[in-house]
Amino acid sequence: MPIAVIVADASRARILATREDPGELYELEDLVHPESRLREQELVADGSGSGNDSGGHGMHSMGHEKAAHDRQAEIFAKELSAELDKLHQRQQLRRVYLVAAPGFLGLLRASLSKQCTSLLAGEVGKNLVTHKLEEIRTHLPKRL
């Protein structure tokens, strides 16, 4: 498997590959990060609490709004990077393509090791994780 395509969002990733260039994609793994699908209050162990506004505007939530979900997305990006490193060590990857939801794409790129960053051949900032392989292939270059 010399060419890998990672298709992901903050809660699911599919690791696709092709042996030929150009070639059809096949699926190696389908990974799910269930913590990213939890509600915010389920992720924050001590609850959001409440407090008074110093301006006298009454009670309000003191939650971390999206902090826990953002942290879970970072964790999942690092897990995916570790999976790519394993593939690189075992399969001698030639190239890697990232296809991810725009907000998650930056996290994933930042999590890549130096070895995998040097193999990065392209990126697509779209959430295609639930799409069919044929549809995903149309968003990639003809020659991978």
Side-chain angles (χ1 to χ4, degrees):
M1 176 204 45
I3 302 168
V5 179
I6 307 301
V7 184
D9 63 19
S11 65
R12 181 179 176 205
R14 295 166 67 192
I15 300 177
L16 313 177
T18 184
R19 290 185 184 94
E20 304 167 357
D21 186 16
E24 291 185 25
L25 296 173
Y26 60 93
E27 191 162 331
L28 288 176
E29 271 188 271
D30 190 345
L31 305 168
V32 177
H33 187 71
E35 294 84 357
S36 294
R37 295 181 176 181
L38 295 175
R39 293 182 312 171
E40 193 74 24
Q41 66 193 55
E42 294 172 315
L43 291 172
V44 181
D46 62 354
S48 63
S50 62
N52 282 318
D53 192 335
S54 63
H57 293 10
M59 298 288 286
H60 59 88
S61 172
M62 292 177 58
H64 301 286
E65 279 79 44
K66 291 184 60 177
H69 272 128
D70 292 346
R71 179 69 185 129
Q72 290 304 318
E74 290 172 9
I75 290 168
F76 190 44
K78 289 177 183 176
E79 289 173 3
L80 290 176
S81 177
E83 286 296 317
L84 266 180
D85 284 338
K86 288 178 193 175
L87 287 174
H88 177 37
Q89 291 168 0
R90 286 183 288 170
Q91 304 289 337
Q92 301 304 313
L93 294 175
R94 281 188 313 178
R95 289 189 289 277
V96 175
Y97 289 85
L98 301 179
V99 179
F104 189 66
L105 182 59
L107 291 175
L108 187 53
R109 187 185 321 110
S111 297
L112 292 177
S113 66
K114 290 181 182 179
Q115 294 85 359
C116 287
T117 299
S118 69
L119 300 175
L120 191 56
E123 300 176 353
V124 177
K126 292 187 178 191
N127 188 353
L128 302 176
V129 76
T130 60
H131 291 234
K132 293 182 179 184
L133 295 177
E134 298 80 18
E135 172 69 15
I136 294 168
R137 184 66 180 94
T138 65
H139 291 274
L140 296 166
K142 287 184 181 183
R143 295 196 55 85
L144 296 175

